[in-house]
């Protein structure tokens, strides 16, 4: 099964890898899993580790010369490799560990194809680097961002490097936010894919340069290909000079959120 992807294009590899990881996550759900302490209150489970090993097996079979950066295993492959895969095998580990199904499996080729798999809905949000689609039960449909839901996910997980200038909790209490939007706190980057799919109007998180983060790279790639507006919380393009992330379904929603962020509470 893995070897059948040796001649696939990068999008197919990303999809296959994400789906393989999602199968592991779904199969191990509800089991009593060993926790691996990572410090600062963070941890991984046996499902994180096994899902990443399975994902890497697909990538190695299909692209043996490529390097990989995994959430659990770190950097593998040639340090000077032009092609590097960014893998987060289970985004939303705390959700998963307490029996919450809001999790994502993220696989992205740096500056290329990417896939975000929802292990429990069966949806796979993906891009070939140009267009963005969602696959469910073997059927592909284009991703169509929309602000219609007015739902905005705000990541409230620490650390908060931009505080006190920006704090997500302050955004939730902003009078204009309360008037125009409805907050959600999903605590997984699955919410990024939901912006691309029209299930969310926007997603906001603090942070540093997230452009090559294993947590965010796949979702960012899908959102960009779908036509979302993607910047840092300072309005600058994400990258080495950027901070955090504001992803909106359209320019109007993005402008509204940026005005609130810049205006404070």
């Amino acid at each position: 099964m893995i070897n059948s992807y040796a001649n696939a294009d990068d999008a197919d590899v990303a999809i296959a890898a994400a789906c393989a990881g999602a199968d592991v996550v779904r199969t191990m759900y509800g089991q009593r899993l060993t926790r691996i302490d990572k410090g600062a209150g963070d941890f991984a489970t046996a499902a994180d580790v096994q899902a990443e090993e399975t994902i890497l097996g697909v990538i190695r079979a299909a692209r043996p010369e490529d390097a990989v950066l995994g959430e659990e295993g770190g950097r593998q492959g040639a340090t000077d490799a032009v092609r590097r895969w960014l893998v987060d095998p289970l985004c939303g580990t705390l959700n998963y560990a307490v029996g919450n199904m809001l999790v994502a499996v993220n696989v992205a080729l740096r500056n290329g194809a990417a896939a975000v798999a929802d292990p429990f809905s069966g949806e796979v949000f993906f891009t070939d680097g140009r267009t963005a689609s969602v696959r469910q039960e073997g059927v592909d449909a284009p991703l169509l961002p929309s602000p219609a839901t007015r739902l905005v996910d705000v990541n409230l997980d620490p650390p908060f490097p931009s505080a006190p200038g920006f704090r997500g909790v302050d955004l939730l209490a902003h009078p204009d936010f309360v008037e125009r939007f409805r907050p959600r706190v999903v605590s997984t980057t699955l919410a990024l894919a939901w912006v691309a799919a029209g299930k969310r109007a926007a997603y906001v998180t603090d942070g540093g340069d997230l452009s090559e983060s294993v947590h965010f790279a796949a979702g960012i790639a899908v959102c960009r290909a779908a036509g979302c507006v993607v910047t840092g919380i300072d309005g600058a393009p994400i990258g080495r000079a950027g901070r955090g992330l504001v992803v909106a379904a359209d320019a109007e929603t993005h402008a509204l959120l940026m005005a609130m962020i810049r205006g404070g509470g």
Side-chain angles (χ1 to χ4, degrees), residues 11-46:
D12 287 336
V13 173
I15 293 167
C19 287
D23 286 344
V24 173
V25 171
R26 185 172 54 254
T27 299
M28 297 183 73
Y29 178 75
Q31 298 179 20
R32 293 178 60 88
L33 300 174
T34 302
R35 293 193 182 192
I36 303 158
D37 184 27
K38 299 166 73 171
D42 193 14
F43 65 91
T45 71

Side-chain angles (χ1 to χ4, degrees), residues 233-256:
I233 58 173
D234 52 3
I238 59 172
R240 293 183 179 179
R243 293 188 300 118
L245 193 61
V246 178
V247 177
D250 65 341
E252 181 181 2
T253 300
H254 185 269
L256 287 169

Side-chain angles (χ1 to χ4, degrees), residues 16-263:
C19 287
D23 286 344
V24 173
V25 171
R26 185 172 54 254
T27 299
M28 297 183 73
Y29 178 75
Q31 298 179 20
R32 293 178 60 88
L33 300 174
T34 302
R35 293 193 182 192
I36 303 158
D37 184 27
K38 299 166 73 171
D42 193 14
F43 65 91
T45 71
D48 296 69
V49 175
Q50 187 168 325
E52 182 166 303
E53 291 175 352
T54 301
I55 291 167
L56 266 56
V58 174
I59 294 173
R60 286 172 182 146
R63 300 291 187 268
E65 302 302 317
D66 291 359
V68 176
L69 174 60
E71 166 70 2
E72 309 309 331
R75 295 181 181 275
Q76 301 182 41
T79 57
D80 59 349
V82 174
R83 290 167 53 93
R84 176 174 288 113
W85 294 85
L86 307 170
V87 175
D88 184 355
L90 205 174
C91 185
T93 299
L94 180 55
N95 285 351
Y96 185 80
V98 299
N100 187 316
M101 293 182 178
L102 292 175
V103 301
V105 177
N106 298 316
V107 177
L109 176 64
R110 185 175 58 180
N111 300 320
V116 178
D118 182 335
F120 299 103
S121 75
E123 295 170 302
V124 185
F125 309 88
F126 67 94
T127 177
D128 58 4
R130 298 178 300 276
T131 62
S133 304
V134 58
R135 178 173 298 174
Q136 189 167 32
E137 297 181 351
V139 177
D140 293 351
L143 288 172
L144 302 173
S146 168
T149 66
R150 299 195 302 148
L151 300 176
V152 176
D153 264 295
V154 180
N155 180 19
L156 300 180
D157 291 337
F160 309 115
S162 300
F166 169 80
R167 294 186 299 184
V169 68
D170 293 336
L171 177 63
L172 298 181
H174 194 290
D176 289 342
F177 188 97
V178 173
E179 179 181 349
R180 295 177 178 274
F181 301 112
R182 292 292 178 269
R184 290 294 182 272
V185 182
V186 173
S187 295
T188 170
T189 53
L190 181 62
L192 263 177
W194 286 350
V195 178
K199 298 181 180 183
R200 293 289 190 269
Y203 176 88
V204 181
T205 185
D206 195 358
D209 173 11
L210 302 179
S211 59
E212 295 191 11
S213 162
V214 295
H215 306 293
F216 293 95
I220 289 172
V222 169
C223 286
R224 279 177 164 165
C228 301
V229 181
V230 181
T231 72
I233 58 173
D234 52 3
I238 59 172
R240 293 183 179 179
R243 293 188 300 118
L245 193 61
V246 178
V247 177
D250 65 341
E252 181 181 2
T253 300
H254 185 269
L256 287 169
L257 289 169
M258 289 307 307
M260 296 173 204
I261 291 170
R262 288 168 174 156

